[in-house]
Amino acid sequence: NATIVATLDEALEGCNYCVALSARLREFSPPVHEPRALAAHLQRDTSLRAALVFGSERYGLSNEQVEKCQALVSVPTDTSYGSLNLAQAVQILAYECRMAGLSDPLAHVESSVVGFHGELASTEQVEGMFAHLEQALVEIEFLDPDNPKKLMPRLRRLFSRTSLETEEVNILRGLANQIIHHRKRRS
């Protein structure tokens, strides 16, 4: 039942938790997890519509692809050869997810649980928020589009640690909208 799509954005449609798999850590990567910890998290949080994003055998994942994800998984390997082939990486993640599904689900419950959890924002909602936020930051001249430096990757990294909920994305987009409209009224 595999569906073939042309872009990563299409593949991530409907997902609210995307995980990049890479042996190479990035300067602006989302939070890094080991496969077992990721599998336990996926098992524990049933609201997740997760996607595991694997790169090509030859090139892996680009920085732009990793930045679209909320987590990065790196399989701990021997330091003399830190890379796995694609089939090995898929097999390890599938195994860890299966084992987490077989274990006692209460064994993974965190001791500090926040009361109410809203629905996690989808990938499309988060990407829309980033575009809107970037537009607002350009509007107030906080971000120079001709020389953006690393502001947006740093903001992506910041927000990837938060597990944004739909309502939180809406708040941030409302904030960006007010910045844009306020700036235009003053012009």
Side-chain angles (χ1 to χ4, degrees):
N1 295 331
T3 303
I4 298 173
V5 295
T7 67
L8 179 58
D9 288 334
E10 287 179 84
L12 299 180
E13 283 180 17
C15 297
N16 61 12
Y17 190 70
C18 305
V19 182
L21 282 93
S22 178
R24 189 168 50 91
L25 299 180
R26 316 299 165 95
E27 181 179 4
F28 298 109
S29 79
V32 179
H33 304 284
E34 289 189 357
R36 188 160 296 158
L38 170 73
H41 178 65
L42 296 177
Q43 177 66 25
R44 182 175 56 246
D45 190 343
T46 58
S47 70
L48 296 177
R49 293 181 309 280
L52 301 179
V53 181
F54 296 87
S56 72
E57 188 85 33
R58 178 176 276 193
Y59 302 109
L61 294 171
S62 69
N63 289 338
E64 181 181 78
Q65 291 168 322
V66 171
E67 287 175 1
K68 290 184 182 289
C69 297
Q70 290 79 41
L72 177 73
V73 166
S74 185
V75 176
T77 60
D78 187 284
T79 56
S80 63
Y81 192 78
S83 182
L84 300 173
N85 72 32
L86 181 58
Q88 291 169 326
V90 170
Q91 187 174 19
I92 288 170
L93 266 291
Y95 172 79
E96 291 295 349
C97 288
R98 177 69 176 141
M99 293 309 294
L102 293 175
S103 70
D104 178 6
L106 295 178
H108 302 296
V109 174
E110 295 176 3
S111 59
S112 61
V113 177
V114 176
F116 174 77
H117 287 282
E119 181 178 331
L120 286 180
S122 69
T123 301
E124 298 89 0
Q125 290 169 324
V126 172
E127 288 302 313
M129 178 207 69
F130 279 122
H132 207 169
L133 183 58
E134 185 172 4
Q135 181 185 358
L137 295 173
V138 168
E139 188 68 37
I140 62 171
E141 299 175 3
F142 187 80
L143 173 65
D144 179 359
D146 297 325
N147 188 20
K149 298 185 181 173
K150 297 179 180 179
L151 177 64
M152 292 312 293
R154 285 185 189 277
L155 287 174
R156 282 182 174 277
R157 182 177 177 199
L158 169 74
F159 283 116
S160 71
R161 294 192 302 261
T162 65
S163 298
L164 287 167
E165 296 174 0
T166 299
E167 195 59 37
E168 294 164 338
V169 166
N170 291 340
I171 290 168
L172 291 167
R173 290 197 74 169
L175 179 71
N177 199 40
Q178 283 296 348
I179 290 169
I180 292 166
H181 288 311
H182 182 70
R183 181 78 174 174
K184 287 182 179 181
R185 279 195 306 256
R186 294 184 77 197
S187 298

